[in-house]
Amino acid sequence: MKAKYFLLSALALTLVACEKGFFETESPSAMDEAVFKSADLTEQAIGAIYNTFGEDKSFRNRLCGGYVAMNTDIEHCSKTEDAEYAAYNMTGGTGNLSTSNGKDPWAYLNSAIERANVVIDGIRAHSDTTDAAFRYLLGEALTLRSFCYLEMVKLWGDVPASFESFNGYNPEVLYTKKQDRNVVFEQLRVDLKEAARLMPWSAQCPGNARNYTGRPSKALALGLLARADMMYAGLAMRPDVFTEGGTSACSIQYNVKDPAARQEIYKEAAEACAQIIKQEDWKFKENFEDVFKDLCADVTDYSKSEWIWALPFLDGARGQVLALTGNKMSTNCAGALINTITYGDGNKDNAKTQAMIEIVPTFYYAYDKADKRRDITILPWTWEYDDGSGTAPSGYTEVVFPGVAATDKKVYQKQSNVGQMYLGKLRVEWMIRSYYSNEDCIDMPVLRYTDILLMYAEATIGSKEGNGPGEQLGVSAQDCMDKVRDRAGLASVPVTIENIINERAFEFCGENIRKYDLMRWGILKEKLMKAQADVYDLQNNAGDFAGRPDSVYFHYTRNDDFAQNGAAYVFDRFVGLDKDAVRPADFDKENGWVAKSFFSKEEVPNITTENWYLYKAGTDIDMHQYWPIFDVNIAASNGTLWNDYLYK
């Protein structure tokens, strides 16, 4: 269904419309031909696709972070109390996601798809596709359209399949009916393979796309093909029989019923990944922390980054990726913590991180203590600011903060509690640009090389030939698995589905991947129920967590590099989170050590079924894995859209 989204496509229309208007029923004008005979103008038309990604309630702040990929067995939405979009009970309002003015994720994804359709049809009709520049631009448009469709299938399941632009003649193209998602998957397989043939590797891409993580290359087309294939060959909640108008008969089942056909799809995924591995294995970073430091510090040089594609938000543009998913920063830190600024009247509330992603606390204990990824991924603290007024928490004294008086201003890392463990992969202190209001503008991570390694290992299992396809392609699945674990400081484990399920959790926590992995494995409900029960045991010192330590012990060191001016204090020792942790032998309050309960009820309510949950009691978790199509979109669809999964 496209009708309402044409108004959202103004930039694209100015590039492709004739003087009488885009809705006229005459043949394409000379302007159409002129645009697509010029590589520069065609690239501007593609820019209109990217433009939708930066709009309010698009990828800027809704199709990223806590809105789209939680809750899971490892990630928890800090806004769950809204009971609106993260707790598997989206039967009420959707005001944070959808409004009546066309500003909603469904609208913007459809708008981007229509803009891509215009470009694809225009290039095919009018451009010289023997020219390398036009070949790249066609591949880019096909890849962007495929990316948007993958997002739609992840969020809604069955969606309209519209792969041609509206020319004013055919109302069925204007109002495209919702279709079985397999129609979309089959077209994506065609489109992404074509895109991979059209586009070179990043170092050979033309113009501004060369060696840039913000533009697609052959690797992204192949990587998205593998990602689509893994979903397509996997399990999903879907109608038992696709029924126009909707059905309540839905269940978890394979998208592809024929086992032999699933094998072929897994082989295709393995082949796509193998091409990338053989060509770009140098992209694998030796240091896990550097993967995310590079992202926050705007390292967009493809040859220096593990990211195959990160959706670009240019400096000065709007974007809230870090604001929504990064580590928690108090509103009081504005103008004090490095890279944060105030503006206007200097209102402190103008600078903050919402930290929508919290880590399910039991996940901390799931990591091997030797795993180097744990303390990069999970932070049991927030950034706080003491303005010297004497309001700092009890115990934060001159002894704790040596070198400054109690009346001096200081920024410091404040210990949180078990219900507030935050994602540490995106951090303000790693940025090189300034952060103001809730606009950080860092690029949105989409696909990195390590995902290629683990998808390859999994695809070799799905193909039912173990390492067979890998050996034939010159890539060992075991080597891929070992490479990931070796970087984490861990020993080799066999390539099994169970080990891959675990490894992908430890590697990709907070990267908007886990929910969709659990869905395609058919274990989302199982994992959520187990995780929630474990969290209550952890809080109550019961079950597998009986005997856990109550207190944490920490000590500060001064490092003024973290402050714009004045003093900054960071933890140099933090002891007590591990299940078998004991009080440090040199613990001494007079030498700056602090002891606090990690399970404190003083500042944050206790973890109970009333105020902390991954799903609400009585909710049909499986039936509500997907978002509902919003009422505003259904109302404007001329009867072509409807909801399944018991949504009203």
Side-chain angles (χ1 to χ4, degrees):
M1 188 274 292
K2 303 179 183 178
K4 66 179 294 183
Y5 310 122
F6 282 104
L7 292 178
L8 301 176
S9 304
L11 179 56
L13 301 186
T14 61
L15 294 170
V16 301
C18 64
E19 292 183 356
K20 292 186 179 181
F22 191 79
F23 293 98
E24 296 292 336
T25 58
E26 297 180 11
S27 60
S29 69
M31 177 60 178
D32 296 318
E33 295 186 33
V35 167
F36 296 109
K37 288 185 180 298
S38 163
D40 288 341
L41 290 177
T42 302
E43 189 169 27
Q44 290 181 47
I46 287 178
I49 305 171
Y50 285 97
N51 184 62
T52 64
F53 299 156
E55 295 285 356
D56 181 35
K57 292 185 172 61
S58 182
F59 287 98
R60 174 194 168 209
N61 56 11
R62 293 297 186 271
L63 290 168
C64 66
Y67 290 94
V68 296
M70 297 187 289
N71 294 326
T72 74
D73 58 335
I74 65 176
E75 299 138 337
H76 173 242
C77 183
S78 65
K79 287 192 171 186
T80 300
E81 65 274 11
D82 290 350
E84 193 166 282
Y85 45 80
Y88 299 95
N89 62 339
M90 290 182 62
T91 53
T94 53
N96 275 308
L97 295 167
S98 175
T99 57
S100 60
N101 60 7
K103 290 178 177 284
D104 61 74
W106 178 279
Y108 283 120
L109 283 167
N110 276 278
S111 177
I113 288 168
E114 173 58 20
R115 294 182 185 194
N117 286 341
V118 169
V119 173
I120 292 165
D121 291 348
I123 293 176
R124 292 196 193 283
H126 304 299
S127 302
D128 177 9
T129 52
T130 64
D131 182 274
F134 282 115
R135 288 174 60 81
Y136 173 81
L137 295 171
L138 177 56
E140 181 174 29
L142 287 166
T143 302
L144 293 177
R145 184 174 71 180
S146 298
F147 167 67
C148 290
Y149 262 119
L150 271 178
E151 295 300 296
M152 292 193 73
V153 172
K154 282 162 52 179
L155 293 171
W156 289 287
D158 299 318
V159 297
S162 178
F163 295 97
E164 61 178 294
S165 58
F166 177 64
N167 60 12
Y169 290 101
N170 188 352
E172 291 186 1
V173 177
L174 180 61
Y175 290 103
T176 308
K177 286 185 178 181
K178 178 176 169 179
Q179 295 187 47
D180 188 306
R181 73 200 70 181
N182 288 11
V183 175
V184 174
F185 279 128
E186 284 297 327
Q187 187 62 46
L188 298 191
R189 295 176 74 193
V190 172
D191 288 349
L192 288 167
K193 283 185 279 191
E194 180 182 6
R197 291 192 296 270
L198 290 166
M199 293 189 295
W201 303 102
S202 186
Q204 286 79 47
C205 287
N208 295 329
R210 179 175 292 115
N211 205 34
Y212 175 38
T213 58
R215 297 282 292 276
S217 66
K218 182 188 293 288
L220 178 61
L222 292 170
L224 290 182
L225 173 62
R227 186 171 279 182
D229 281 346
M230 301 301 279
M231 289 174 61
Y232 188 25
L235 292 158
M237 168 58 69
R238 51 184 298 141
D240 294 341
V241 177
F242 185 84
T243 306
E244 288 194 14
T247 177
S248 60
C250 303
S251 60
I252 292 178
Q253 54 193 280
Y254 282 108
N255 293 309
V256 178
K257 303 299 186 288
D258 180 11
R262 292 199 299 271
Q263 270 186 256
E264 290 305 312
I265 296 170
Y266 278 121
K267 286 182 180 180
E268 181 176 84
E271 290 166 359
C273 291
Q275 288 188 62
I276 301 170
I277 293 167
K278 289 193 288 186
Q279 181 68 29
E280 296 189 344
D281 193 48
W282 47 265
K283 283 188 69 65
F284 187 75
K285 283 275 186 179
E286 292 184 6
N287 187 314
F288 183 74
E289 183 178 64
D290 287 344
V291 175
F292 306 98
K293 277 189 171 181
D294 287 350
L295 184 73
C296 293
D298 302 326
V299 176
T300 59
D301 185 326
Y302 191 89
S303 64
K304 297 178 180 178
S305 172
E306 186 169 301
W307 296 98
I308 289 174
W309 192 48
L311 200 62
F313 287 92
L314 302 181
D315 197 358
R318 298 186 301 174
Q320 300 175 14
V321 173
L322 187 146
L324 292 173
T325 63
N327 187 35
K328 183 83 170 173
M329 176 180 69
S330 165
T331 57
N332 297 323
C333 289
L337 181 64
I338 193 69
N339 295 326
T340 63
I341 64 173
T342 57
Y343 64 97
D345 62 3
N347 182 350
K348 290 180 180 178
D349 287 339
N350 282 340
K352 58 186 176 181
T353 51
Q354 296 180 37
M356 288 181 70
I357 293 181
E358 293 178 353
I359 306 303
V360 175
T362 50
F363 186 53
Y364 184 93
Y365 299 91
Y367 275 94
D368 188 306
K369 286 191 291 185
D371 196 325
K372 298 176 183 178
R373 297 170 294 192
R374 186 188 68 178
D375 295 338
I376 304 304
T377 301
I378 306 177
L379 299 182
W381 53 264
T382 65
W383 279 111
E384 188 54 87
Y385 179 68
D386 175 12
D387 64 3
S389 64
T391 58
S394 173
Y396 288 72
T397 66
E398 293 93 331
V399 174
V400 175
F401 296 140
V404 298
T407 55
D408 289 341
K409 298 177 180 180
K410 58 193 78 73
V411 64
Y412 63 96
Q413 293 173 347
K414 179 183 176 183
Q415 174 248 339
S416 54
N417 73 8
V418 68
Q420 294 180 306
M421 301 177 80
Y422 299 104
L423 181 68
K425 289 181 174 179
L426 304 181
R427 308 188 193 184
V428 171
E429 58 267 33
W430 289 344
M431 293 172 60
I432 61 171
R433 63 176 85 173
S434 293
Y435 176 119
Y436 64 94
S437 181
N438 56 358
E439 309 286 357
D440 55 81
C441 310
I442 72 163
D443 292 353
M444 188 187 96
V446 176
L447 180 67
R448 60 183 174 99
Y449 181 74
T450 306
D451 200 1
I452 303 301
L453 295 175
L454 292 182
M455 281 196 293
Y456 177 81
E458 183 181 350
T460 63
I461 298 174
S463 69
K464 302 295 185 185
E465 296 185 18
N467 282 341
E471 295 303 325
Q472 293 168 21
L473 297 168
V475 178
S476 164
Q478 187 65 58
D479 287 350
C480 290
M481 188 82 157
D482 290 349
K483 195 180 188 86
V484 177
R485 289 184 59 81
D486 183 66
R487 179 170 70 180
L490 302 175
S492 174
V493 294
V495 178
T496 66
I497 285 295
E498 186 59 35
N499 284 336
I500 286 172
I501 288 172
N502 293 332
E503 202 64 39
R504 289 184 67 84
F506 299 134
E507 182 70 25
F508 300 121
C509 178
E511 296 181 44
N512 297 343
I513 291 176
R514 183 63 171 179
K515 178 181 178 182
Y516 308 108
D517 277 349
L518 294 177
M519 288 167 64
R520 66 184 176 82
W521 292 324
I523 57 174
L524 176 61
K525 178 178 179 178
E526 168 193 333
K527 288 288 189 178
L528 277 173
M529 294 179 69
K530 178 67 165 61
Q532 183 152 303
D534 285 348
V535 167
Y536 296 148
D537 279 349
L538 176 64
Q539 171 66 27
N540 296 317
N541 203 353
D544 291 339
F545 299 95
R548 52 101 173 121
D550 180 67
S551 293
V552 293
Y553 305 86
F554 51 90
H555 190 278
Y556 287 105
T557 187
R558 182 169 177 173
N559 187 338
D560 293 345
D561 288 344
F562 290 99
Q564 291 193 30
N565 53 66
Y569 287 87
V570 298
F571 298 121
D572 61 352
R573 294 187 67 186
F574 199 106
V575 181
L577 287 183
D578 293 319
K579 186 177 178 181
D580 56 354
V582 297
R583 175 171 148 159
D586 61 344
F587 177 81
D588 186 344
K589 291 183 179 179
E590 296 306 313
N591 289 318
W593 279 95
V594 176
K596 290 223 168 186
S597 172
F598 189 57
F599 300 87
S600 170
K601 304 174 186 178
E602 296 174 2
E603 298 180 29
V604 178
N606 191 22
I607 291 177
T608 68
T609 55
E610 288 75 31
N611 60 31
W612 198 102
Y613 50 84
L614 298 174
Y615 61 94
K616 274 199 165 182
T619 299
D620 191 328
I621 299 171
D622 279 340
M623 195 63 79
H624 287 170
Q625 292 183 8
Y626 299 109
W627 283 356
I629 301 174
F630 310 129
D631 290 346
V632 62
N633 307 123
I634 292 176
S637 73
N638 200 31
T640 59
L641 299 179
W642 60 87
N643 272 315
D644 298 296
Y645 318 118
L646 301 179
Y647 285 121
K648 304 298 183 184

